[in-house]
């Protein structure tokens, strides 16, 4: 969720001096933004320091990412002002950007607009820069999809061209630098720049780099990295040319619209923008920005139904005004005019949310919905709970270990080999503790015992939980398996203790030992050479069906002393681990 | 012996009424033995006693020497002849050894003698040996009326403090001169022989703890999970099969109308799989999902970007159980319309850097309600009822943004103990782009809500580090100690605050 910093006094003045921090926090809550912090509440401000508000903005509300946007939206919400109408007015001398064919290889799209007669102050200038940063970070996906260039129009001459050239052929002085460099040098130069280096990868390996020229072949920007020193804007800039390049045509338009709707406020003629014509190599021409209101048709019945209120169409249209949405009632229908500032509205449901906010979430009448449905547990969870309770009743303590672990934990430490056919491996873990999904519960329980050495022996610990196994036969390539694992750690291994617990669990599931019966569903221990266990003290736990067929459920044994050493344990441990899904 | 002593005590009490001082009454019997007998008699309420303590001083070896031969300083003074000649210090040292050094220091401090070159010369004509006098008093009386003298003698390690403990004994409520053997426990033999009828039972100390049963215990997180499950069952919810940690991006994101460039799909946030890396196939409605992302549909303008099938096939560890809800809604849509309520409580994964409040895996509690009459108003009414069952009233809702629900609401509850609003979870109405792609007919509204299981558990059981709750760093003692989970009662920190408040009053 993006956060913006706003000058407290300036905002409170704008809203008519009716708020203190507490009541403003309430307003934010109601509107769906969050006052995270008021710097004056944190302690004494330094002399001359102005109180700042930190406000969390929902990730899809790009129109609230600057002072201009959030103050206007709240002003309209409080019905102190009407939302402005944004107009595209023709320029005396039309602006044009011609796109060369090579751009398609690296960054195909460009859009533009001109803000005429702008009055900047230090605060407005900073807000303009900050908004670009926020947009670059969020909507523009760290400049990968979209990047913004802004220029002092009076330092350059149109028509402009958007080209893609070999880096060696591009030569210019980047913003705030004195050295003239070519494209290769730019990459090298910014390799150590904390800010710019994060974007170098976007074009570094491309044979051609995107570049914007003016009519006199002066480089204006090298998207998505840096503008030129020559055309940079300053507090004295009066006419601003915005060019935005992109790989995503939807987002580039959203970005342009947000910038011009926010900052056209400071134009000679507020909320007007001069268009820029973009000509593509195939001769197709487009004019930007596209500020026309979108129309979305909905009905009072639908909106009322979603929110759970009963308002007339006229009342709905009044409420929507608080959200900067103009609505026309046409019989049963409500036609909502969506301003260019609200690209987040995709469907009627988005209008329903705005209506709910305008009405007030906490004023919506509570209506109990009494449709009868039948409750039911998931059968596997029900089975797990039976096994869990049996084991706990027998005196074992339940642990809940992590399902991700290191590869060694699951294999080498248990003296097991990875044949590549069982374990799910993660691509991008941040820690070696998260390399794989466990295929056994045992390593987690051994680590639990290791962390609890301070307690008197014996330790009896168990877990009933899922492991993950590869399975090429299912769509997802892997599936969970529910295991039960229990261990006993003491001065002596006492195999018969975990064996007795296993007998108990089996009995609770109506399965008898082969020692006690020779027909029916039974289980047995089959001595086996299992590297995790002490030789001669390990066995497979087998389920024998009524028809005599058998199935391996898991293993039981005294852990191999090397395994115990790998988990930093000095006491003998015996354990069993079985798959309980066959008992479903 | 001790039985004998007890009888002696009882007989003495019988004849004399009380015993003023046991040390005087039972000469030669050690105090510990007397105390043992008294305690035993007291437990049978035959006697009552109070402890008498007397302090007295005895003379140490060095003190004895000075008591007999005079203090070191007096001895030195005597060795210094009268007149201005005095005596050479080295002669004194030869004669008295270490006593010379200690004695002459005191003599100088007392201004009895002075230094004259290498010799000591008398200043005083005669002296009184206060130390010796003090020691004589202590020797005779065991103490000294002057506290300063005692302090001085003690500092010079000439005397030592001693204590005598003695007891004054009186008759108890059950006084008698007879002693009966007391039984400590009821035994099977006593039952068989009938001895229990006449047996006298030793008084039981109820200000004690019992023997730890050392039984098995369930994990607190699982206990809280059980409480949540019960509330879901009470309100008609069916549990979803969430035993699939691995999902395709399609089910985890695309089917929920989360665009492919969404930040939640970054490697920074989501675990992708290396092996297996991709799903073998996508469900048959994948093209509907592609269209609604690329071009819109169902009244939506869509996200308008090129949708990639390969991206959708990438396997992830599910980031939420909503991936399973999507499966369930898709399945529900196969049959004729019916209202449905689903829930799950299971693990989800985030590629987080682990700290005290974040783990790469945690449990998500999720509820989904599909109903033609579902509205924000009925969702709010349901959440009110749901959380009230867990002792949380005063809910408040804040508009928020989720990519797959609209309208969306964060759920807050006012906590009186803490005096602030706590965020409980997230909720909303699933977007039509998602529901209709999954096959649900128009007009079926689906509300969903979710919260983490760890947060309320940490709060209820007073655990401040999540790693000490989920995972091997858990304290097994904590599992054994913690109480049953009753979400409608105050527990952990809440209960603690309550008792602190009571203390203040």
């Amino acid at each position: 969720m993006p956060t913006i910093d706003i000058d407290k006094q300036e905002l409170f003045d704008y809203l008519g001096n009716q708020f203190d921090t507490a009541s403003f926090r309430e307003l934010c809550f109601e509107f769906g933004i969050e006052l995270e912090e008021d710097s004056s509440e944190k302690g004494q401000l330094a002399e001359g320091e102005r109180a700042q508000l930190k406000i969390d903005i929902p990730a899809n509300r790009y129109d609230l990412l600057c002072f201009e946007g959030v103050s206007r939206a709240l002003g309209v919400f409080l019905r102190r002002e009407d939302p402005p109408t944004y107009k595209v007015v023709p320029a005396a001398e039309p602006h044009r950007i011609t796109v060369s064919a090579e751009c398609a290889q690296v960054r195909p799209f460009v859009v533009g607009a001109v803000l005429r007669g702008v009055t900047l102050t230090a605060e407005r200038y900073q807000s303009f820069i900050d908004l670009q940063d926020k947009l670059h970070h969020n909507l523009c996906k760290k400049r990968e999809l979209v990047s913004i260039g802004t220029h002092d129009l009076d330092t350059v001459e149109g028509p402009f061209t958007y080209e893609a050239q070999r880096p060696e052929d591009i030569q210019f002085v980047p913003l705030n630098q004195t050295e003239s460099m070519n494209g290769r040098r730019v990459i090298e130069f910014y390799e150590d720049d904390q800010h710019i280096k994060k974007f170098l990868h976007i074009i570094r390996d491309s044979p051609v780099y995107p570049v914007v020229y003016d009519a006199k072949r002066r480089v204006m920007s090298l998207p998505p990295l840096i503008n030129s020193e020559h055309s940079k804007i300053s507090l004295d800039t009066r006419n601003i040319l915005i060019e935005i390049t992109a790989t995503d045509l939807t987002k580039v338009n959203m970005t342009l619209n947000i910038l011009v709707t926010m900052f056209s406020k400071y134009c000679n003629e507020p909320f007007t923008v001069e268009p820029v014509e973009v000509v593509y190599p195939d001769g197709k021409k487009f004019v930007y920005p596209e500020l026309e209101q979108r129309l979305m048709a909905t009905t009072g019945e639908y909106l009322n139904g979603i929110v759970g209120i009963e308002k007339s169409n006229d009342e709905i249209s009044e409420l929507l005004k608080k959200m900067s949405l103009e609505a026309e009632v046409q019989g049963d229908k409500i036609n909502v005019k969506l301003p260019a500032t609200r690209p987040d509205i995709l469907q009627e449901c988005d209008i329903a949310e705005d209506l709910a906010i305008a009405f007030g979430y906490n004023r919506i009448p509570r209506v109990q919905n009494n449709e009868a449905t039948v409750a039911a547990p998931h059968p596997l969870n029900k089975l797990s709970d039976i096994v869990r309770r049996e084991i706990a009743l027998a005196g074992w303590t339940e642990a809940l270990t992590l399902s991700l672990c290191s590869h060694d934990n699951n294999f080498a430490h248990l003296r097991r080999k990875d044949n590549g056919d069982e374990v799910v491996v993660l691509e991008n873990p941040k820690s070696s503790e998260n390399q794989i999904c466990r295929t056994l519960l045992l390593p987690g329980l051994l680590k639990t015992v290791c962390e609890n050495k301070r307690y008197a022996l014996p330790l009896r610990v168990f877990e009933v939980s899922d492991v993950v196994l590869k399975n090429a036969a299912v769509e997802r390539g892997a599936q969970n398996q529910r295991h039960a694992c229990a261990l006993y750690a003491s001065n002596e291994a006492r195999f018969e203790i975990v064996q007795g617990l296993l007998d108990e669990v089996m009995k609770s599931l109506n399965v008898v030992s082969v020692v006690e019966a020779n027909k029916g569903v039974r289980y047995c221990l089959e001595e086996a050479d299992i590297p995790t266990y002490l030789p001669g003290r390990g066995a497979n736990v087998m389920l024998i069906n009524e028809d005599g067929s058998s199935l391996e459920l898991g293993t039981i044994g005294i852990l191999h002393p090397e395994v115990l050493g790998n988990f930093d344990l000095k006491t003998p441990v015996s354990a069993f681990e079985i798959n309980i899904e066959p008992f479903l | 012996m001790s039985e004998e002593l007890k009888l002696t005590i009882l007989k003495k009490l019988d004849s004399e009424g009380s015993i003023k001082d046991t040390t005087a009454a039972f000469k030669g019997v050690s105090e510990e033995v007397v105390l043992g007998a008294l305690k035993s008699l007291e437990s049978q309420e035959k006697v009552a006693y109070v402890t008498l303590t007397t302090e007295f001083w005895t003379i140490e070896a060095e003190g004895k020497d000075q008591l007999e031969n005079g203090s070191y300083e007096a001895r030195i003074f005597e060795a210094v002849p009268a007149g201005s000649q005095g005596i050479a210090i080295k002669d004194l040292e030869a004669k008295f050894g270490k006593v010379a050094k200690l004695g002459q220091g005191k003599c100088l401090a007392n201004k009895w003698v002075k230094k004259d070159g290498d010799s000591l010369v008398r200043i005083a004509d005669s002296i009184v040996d206060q130390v010796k006098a003090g020691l004589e008093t202590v020797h005779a009386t065991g103490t000294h009326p002057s506290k300063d003298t005692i302090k001085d003698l003690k500092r010079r390690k000439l005397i030592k403090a001693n204590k005598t403990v003695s007891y004054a004994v009186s008759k108890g409520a059950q006084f008698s001169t007879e002693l009966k053997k007391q039984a400590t426990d009821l035994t099977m033999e006593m039952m068989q022989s009938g001895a229990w009828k006449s047996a006298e039972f030793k008084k039981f100390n109820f200000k004690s703890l019992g023997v730890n049963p050392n039984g098995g215990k369930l994990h607190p997180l699982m206990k809280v999970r059980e409480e949540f499950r019960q509330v879901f069952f009470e309100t008609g919810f069916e549990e979803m099969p969430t035993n699939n940690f691995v999902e395709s991006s399609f089910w985890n994101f695309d089917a929920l109308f989360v665009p492919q460039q969404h930040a939640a799909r970054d490697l920074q946030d989501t675990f992708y799989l290396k092996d297996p890396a991709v799903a073998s196939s996508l469900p048959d409605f994948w093209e509907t999902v592609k269209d609604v992302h690329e071009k819109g549909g169902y009244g939506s303008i869509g996200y308008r970007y090129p949708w990639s099938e390969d991206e959708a096939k990438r396997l992830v560890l599910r980031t939420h159980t909503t991936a399973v809800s999507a499966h369930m809604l898709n399945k529900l849509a196969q049959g004729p319309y019916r209202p449905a309520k689903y829930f799950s409580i299971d693990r989800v994964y985030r590629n987080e850097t682990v700290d005290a409040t974040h783990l790469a895996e945690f449990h998500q509690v999720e509820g989904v309600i599909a109903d033609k009459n579902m509205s924000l108003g009925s969702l709010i009414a349901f959440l009110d009822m749901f959380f009230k069952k867990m002792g949380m009233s005063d809910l408040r809702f804040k508009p928020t943004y989720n990519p797959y629900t609209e309208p969306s609401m964060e759920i807050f509850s006012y906590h009186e103990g803490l005096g602030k609003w706590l965020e409980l979870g997230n909720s909303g109405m699933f977007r039509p782009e998602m529901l209709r792609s999954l096959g649900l007919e128009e007009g079926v509204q689906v509300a969903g809500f979710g919260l983490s299981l760890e947060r309320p558990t940490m709060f209820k059981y007073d655990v401040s580090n999540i790693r000490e709750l989920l995972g091997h760093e858990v304290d097994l003692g904590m599992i054994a100690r913690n109480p049953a989970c009753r979400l409608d009662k105050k527990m952990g920190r809440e209960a603690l605050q309550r008792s602190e408040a009571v203390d203040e009053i």
Side-chain angles (χ1 to χ4, degrees):
Chain A
M1 195 181 279
T3 304
I4 58 167
D5 289 306
I6 296 279
D7 186 284
K8 178 178 171 182
Q9 198 49 51
E10 207 179 330
L11 181 63
F12 282 16
D13 283 347
Y14 186 96
L15 298 176
N17 280 315
Q18 49 175 322
F19 292 102
D20 58 18
T21 305
S23 59
F24 181 69
R25 183 170 273 126
E26 285 301 300
L27 175 72
C28 290
F29 192 96
E30 217 184 312
F31 187 66
I33 56 182
E34 194 174 331
L35 177 57
E36 179 103 323
E37 182 186 299
D38 173 349
S39 66
S40 66
E41 282 187 334
K42 275 180 58 187
Q44 205 64 37
L45 295 174
E47 204 176 299
E49 191 186 341
R50 292 172 65 87
Q52 298 287 311
L53 303 177
K54 245 188 210 329
I55 303 178
D56 280 349
I57 304 294
N60 65 341
R61 289 299 297 271
Y62 308 108
D63 59 317
L64 304 179
L65 287 177
C66 59
F67 174 83
E68 289 72 16
V70 83
S71 60
R72 200 182 302 164
L74 290 174
V76 172
F77 185 65
L78 295 166
R79 302 304 300 268
R80 291 174 47 81
E81 61 183 294
D82 287 327
T85 308
Y86 308 100
K87 266 191 296 214
V88 178
V89 296
E93 286 172 57
H95 313 290
R96 186 192 307 135
I97 304 176
T98 307
V99 182
S100 77
E102 292 77 21
C103 293
Q105 291 177 49
V106 51
R107 209 170 174 83
F109 307 113
V110 65
V111 297
V114 168
L115 298 176
R116 177 72 64 186
V118 174
T119 311
L120 290 177
T121 62
E123 290 78 27
R124 293 172 183 180
Y125 179 83
Q126 193 55 47
S127 178
F128 192 50
I129 302 295
D130 288 348
L131 175 62
Q132 291 176 50
D133 273 350
K134 301 277 182 220
L135 290 171
H136 273 148
H137 193 77
N138 297 296
L139 179 61
C140 307
K141 205 114 206 249
K142 304 192 178 85
R143 303 194 189 182
E144 213 176 302
L145 302 180
V146 179
S147 67
I148 305 163
T150 57
H151 311 278
D152 185 332
L153 181 62
D154 300 320
T155 64
V156 290
E157 232 173 80
F160 310 101
T161 55
Y162 175 45
E163 307 175 19
Q165 294 186 314
R166 295 190 320 135
E168 295 78 11
D169 298 339
I170 301 166
Q171 190 75 33
F172 73 114
V173 180
L175 187 65
N176 300 330
Q177 301 304 328
T178 48
E179 179 194 338
S180 174
M181 22 186 132
N182 72 21
R184 287 257 172 267
R185 170 77 184 130
V186 168
I187 297 281
E188 190 186 288
F189 183 80
Y190 286 104
E191 207 69 71
D192 296 322
D193 184 286
Q194 282 312 313
H195 183 55
I196 303 290
K197 74 170 181 191
K198 291 178 288 195
F199 314 118
L200 298 176
H201 73 97
I202 303 172
I203 55 164
R204 186 191 280 124
D205 298 329
S206 167
V208 289
Y209 288 6
V211 56
V212 179
Y213 284 107
D214 83 341
K216 291 196 167 162
R217 300 301 293 166
R218 287 177 293 205
V219 170
M220 292 162 62
S221 66
L222 183 71
L225 303 184
I226 190 95
N227 294 335
S228 78
E229 171 69 9
H230 175 78
S231 62
K232 77 169 173 192
I233 60 168
S234 68
L235 291 185
D236 301 324
T237 298
R238 301 280 291 143
N239 302 308
I240 300 174
L241 168 68
I242 302 169
E243 50 78 10
I244 312 184
T245 58
T247 57
D248 182 308
L249 197 51
T250 307
K251 290 196 165 65
V252 74
N253 268 305
M254 285 161 69
T255 308
L256 178 65
N257 287 358
I258 295 295
L259 273 182
V260 301
T261 51
M262 294 300 124
F263 285 90
S264 58
K265 179 181 176 178
Y266 303 128
C267 289
N268 259 350
E269 186 76 40
F271 306 114
T272 63
V273 188
E274 288 183 5
V276 170
E277 182 185 61
V278 175
V279 184
Y280 280 94
D282 59 4
K284 283 204 177 117
K285 291 176 183 173
F286 301 89
V287 177
Y288 301 100
E290 295 168 337
L291 294 180
E292 305 78 40
Q293 293 172 326
R294 280 186 291 140
L295 275 188
M296 192 173 277
T298 181
T299 62
E301 188 192 349
Y302 170 79
L303 296 176
N304 278 323
I306 291 289
V307 181
I309 53 177
E310 288 170 19
K311 292 282 161 193
S312 72
N313 286 357
D314 288 334
E315 286 170 320
I316 289 172
S317 122
E318 272 306 298
L319 281 168
L320 288 178
K321 275 187 193 157
K322 288 174 75 175
M323 307 305 290
S324 307
L325 303 182
E326 236 181 282
E328 250 171 33
V329 178
Q330 210 173 46
D332 290 347
K333 277 211 311 223
I334 302 176
N335 292 318
V336 184
K337 294 178 183 166
L338 308 172
T341 46
R342 294 299 304 276
D344 58 296
I345 298 184
L346 306 178
Q347 211 262 358
E348 285 171 85
C349 65
D350 297 295
I351 299 173
E353 176 169 278
D354 272 24
L355 175 65
I357 295 171
F359 181 82
Y361 271 28
N362 296 294
R363 282 191 286 275
I364 298 171
R366 284 141 160 85
V367 183
Q368 221 31 274
N369 200 341
N370 285 323
E371 290 285 4
T373 50
V374 177
H378 180 48
L380 184 58
N381 290 350
K382 192 173 170 178
L383 172 69
S384 295
D385 287 348
I386 291 170
V387 174
R388 287 176 54 229
R389 286 201 189 99
E390 277 311 317
I391 299 177
L393 286 173
W396 264 255
T397 293
E398 184 176 40
L400 208 55
T401 64
L402 300 173
S403 60
L404 303 181
C405 64
S406 70
H407 187 275
D408 277 354
N409 273 175
N410 202 73
F411 291 101
H413 292 168
L414 294 179
R415 304 179 80 239
R416 298 177 71 235
K417 278 204 178 61
D418 178 7
N419 296 323
D421 54 358
E422 79 175 287
V423 70
V424 168
V425 184
L426 306 195
E427 186 191 322
N428 55 328
K430 285 179 185 157
S431 136
S432 60
E433 290 290 295
N434 298 332
Q435 289 168 335
I436 59 153
C437 293
R438 64 179 174 201
T439 67
L440 291 168
L441 302 179
L442 186 59
L445 288 186
L446 288 172
K447 289 197 278 183
T448 306
V449 170
C450 178
E451 293 284 338
N452 284 276
K453 285 178 188 161
R454 61 190 176 282
Y455 288 108
L457 296 173
L459 286 176
R460 286 177 289 245
V461 189
F462 82 98
E463 180 170 7
V464 179
S465 221
D466 280 349
V467 302
V468 184
L469 299 168
K470 261 164 85 169
N471 180 353
V474 299
E475 189 183 290
R476 303 172 177 102
Q479 68 187 153
N480 287 15
Q481 193 172 78
R482 187 74 41 100
H483 280 200
C485 179
L487 63 76
Y488 176 84
S490 195
N491 295 324
E492 296 169 314
R494 306 283 304 274
F495 179 93
E496 68 279 12
I497 292 197
V498 285
Q499 187 189 13
L501 179 67
L502 180 66
D503 294 340
E504 202 61 22
V505 170
M506 289 296 179
K507 217 183 290 170
S508 75
L509 296 170
N510 242 336
V511 182
V512 290
S513 166
V514 289
V515 177
E516 292 176 320
N518 54 16
K519 58 179 181 197
V521 182
R522 291 159 298 152
Y523 74 97
C524 69
L525 307 186
E526 253 174 26
E527 185 175 346
D529 187 16
I530 303 166
T532 302
Y533 299 118
L534 186 66
R537 288 290 184 282
N540 288 322
V541 181
M542 306 298 296
L543 182 71
I544 303 161
N545 294 309
E546 264 171 290
D547 62 6
S549 66
S550 68
L551 171 75
E552 187 187 316
L553 292 176
T555 61
I556 182 169
I558 294 174
L559 292 185
H560 196 289
E562 275 174 28
V563 169
L564 296 171
N566 292 336
F567 287 92
D568 197 18
L569 291 171
K570 294 191 173 61
T571 51
V573 175
S574 48
F576 72 77
E577 174 155 359
I578 56 165
N579 167 18
I580 61 167
E581 292 189 14
F583 300 106
L584 267 174
Chain B
M1 161 73 199
S2 82
E3 291 303 300
E4 229 171 89
L5 177 61
K6 284 186 217 167
L7 278 174
T8 316
I9 291 171
L10 291 177
K11 281 182 186 144
K12 203 171 175 65
L13 276 177
D14 192 38
S15 59
E16 298 176 14
S18 69
I19 303 169
K20 290 215 168 52
D21 186 337
T22 49
T23 310
F26 307 105
K27 286 223 167 74
V29 182
S30 83
E31 172 259 324
E32 289 85 1
V33 173
V34 172
L35 180 64
L38 289 176
K39 274 194 170 158
S40 161
L41 290 171
E42 189 199 34
S43 74
Q44 303 168 44
E45 297 182 61
K46 295 205 180 286
V47 306
Y49 68 90
V50 289
T51 308
L52 311 167
T53 311
T54 8
E55 215 174 43
F56 67 98
W57 298 90
T58 51
I59 297 179
E60 296 280 86
E62 219 175 312
K64 276 186 183 141
D65 172 36
Q66 300 194 26
L67 178 67
E68 280 163 28
N69 305 317
S71 68
Y72 296 158
E73 57 266 38
R75 282 186 237 172
I76 295 302
F77 179 81
E78 295 304 336
V80 179
S84 58
Q85 197 64 28
I87 186 170
I89 292 173
K90 67 174 194 302
D91 292 345
L92 278 175
E93 277 170 8
K95 192 172 171 194
F96 291 97
K98 87 173 191 358
V99 170
K101 247 201 179 109
L102 296 164
Q104 68 173 290
K106 277 283 171 191
C107 278
L108 288 167
N110 290 350
K111 296 207 159 49
W112 292 352
V113 300
K114 68 175 183 189
K115 244 185 190 163
D116 184 11
D118 290 338
S119 302
L120 289 183
V121 181
R122 275 198 189 190
I123 308 175
D125 296 332
S126 63
I127 53 134
V128 178
D129 191 349
Q130 295 288 4
V131 173
K132 189 176 180 215
L135 286 169
E136 278 164 356
T137 312
V138 172
H139 182 62
T141 65
T143 182
H144 195 282
S146 158
K147 272 192 184 151
D148 287 344
T149 305
I150 292 281
K151 213 166 133 189
D152 187 47
L153 294 175
K154 190 180 146 203
R155 191 175 53 75
R156 292 169 71 159
K157 300 200 172 101
L158 301 180
I159 59 172
K160 189 176 90 177
N162 289 280
K163 234 192 323 189
T164 53
V165 179
S166 182
Y167 306 94
V169 189
S170 56
K171 289 181 184 170
Q174 303 294 325
F175 179 80
S176 74
T177 55
E178 262 171 59
L179 268 184
K180 204 172 189 180
K181 192 166 164 51
Q182 284 188 308
T184 50
D185 211 345
L186 179 64
T187 64
M188 204 158 88
E189 288 87 348
M190 292 163 79
M191 306 268 295
Q192 280 167 351
S193 67
W196 63 271
K197 288 178 202 156
S198 56
E200 202 173 293
F201 286 92
K202 193 173 176 206
K203 197 169 160 60
F204 190 78
N205 178 16
F206 288 99
K207 276 188 187 163
S208 59
L209 289 177
V211 176
N212 190 328
N214 286 325
K217 296 284 178 180
L218 295 177
H219 193 280
L221 200 69
M222 298 300 271
K223 296 200 273 195
V224 176
R225 165 184 171 272
E226 192 49 34
E227 276 282 279
F228 273 98
R229 283 179 94 220
Q230 286 312 321
V231 173
F232 278 116
F233 289 146
E234 284 165 22
T235 46
F237 280 74
E238 182 185 333
E239 193 170 31
M240 294 189 269
T242 45
N243 50 330
N244 276 301
F245 297 159
V246 174
E247 275 293 354
S248 61
S249 290
F250 181 86
W251 282 107
N252 195 72
F253 296 119
D254 297 286
L256 306 184
F257 198 52
V258 179
Q260 294 187 332
Q261 307 90 343
H262 195 278
R265 301 178 73 149
D266 287 355
L267 288 166
Q268 279 303 310
D269 294 288
T270 297
F271 284 119
Y272 285 87
L273 301 194
K274 186 154 79 185
D275 181 25
V278 291
S280 58
S281 61
L282 293 178
D284 51 16
F285 65 98
W286 70 272
E287 274 172 304
T288 316
V289 170
K290 171 186 159 86
D291 280 354
V292 80
H293 278 245
E294 282 188 343
K295 298 184 285 209
Y298 313 116
S300 172
I301 58 170
Y303 290 121
R304 292 151 290 143
Y305 70 95
W307 186 88
S308 152
E309 190 183 336
D310 288 343
E311 185 63 34
K313 279 186 171 170
R314 290 177 74 187
L315 291 174
V316 299
L317 290 182
R318 67 173 176 221
T319 61
H320 45 202
T321 47
T322 317
V324 182
S325 307
H327 280 283
M328 294 301 285
L329 291 171
N330 180 237
K331 229 162 126 187
L332 181 71
Q334 310 308 314
Y337 167 75
R338 67 172 173 93
K341 296 193 195 121
Y342 299 119
F343 85 95
S344 63
I345 306 171
D346 210 342
R347 295 187 197 229
V348 296
Y349 299 83
R350 303 280 163 89
N351 198 359
E352 298 256 18
T353 307
V354 171
D355 62 28
T357 51
H358 296 89
L359 279 178
E361 56 190 287
F362 62 94
H363 289 73
Q364 186 188 345
V365 180
E366 171 156 345
V368 169
I369 307 170
D371 192 330
K372 282 189 173 167
N373 296 319
M374 206 62 205
S375 68
L376 270 194
S378 46
L379 175 59
I380 288 172
F382 172 80
L383 292 171
D384 259 352
M385 185 258 297
F386 184 86
F387 284 103
K388 204 168 180 176
K389 282 173 177 282
M390 296 176 200
M392 282 173 277
S393 42
D394 278 336
L395 294 197
R396 211 157 72 121
F397 300 88
K398 175 180 164 290
T400 189
Y401 166 68
N402 285 322
Y404 48 89
T405 60
E406 186 85 1
S408 308
M409 311 190 290
E410 275 170 8
I411 311 162
F412 286 79
S413 160
Y414 190 75
H415 192 276
E416 284 192 12
L418 299 177
K420 62 177 182 187
W421 292 91
L422 298 179
E423 192 190 329
L424 298 180
N426 222 320
S427 65
M429 311 282 287
F430 286 115
R431 296 190 68 97
E433 293 96 330
M434 165 186 164
L435 298 180
R436 302 292 301 283
S437 309
L438 289 171
L440 288 169
E441 61 185 86
E442 192 175 359
V444 178
Q445 303 301 343
V446 182
F449 63 96
L451 56 148
S452 98
L453 184 64
E454 279 76 2
R455 246 177 86 120
T457 308
M458 288 169 77
F459 192 75
K460 288 282 180 184
Y461 283 104
D462 221 1
V463 178
S464 53
N465 184 343
I466 193 166
R467 286 168 290 196
E468 288 165 18
L469 182 68
L470 181 61
H472 53 272
E473 289 175 43
V474 71
D475 174 359
L476 291 174
M478 181 274 288
I479 299 180
R481 278 190 306 272
N482 68 43
C485 179
R486 300 163 78 191
L487 290 179
D488 57 338
K489 303 285 182 201
K490 285 201 162 68
M491 291 170 56
R493 211 175 305 171
E494 297 171 302
L496 210 66
Q497 263 162 6
R498 202 166 162 216
S499 66
E500 274 166 12
V502 171
D503 286 348
E504 275 166 28
I505 296 161

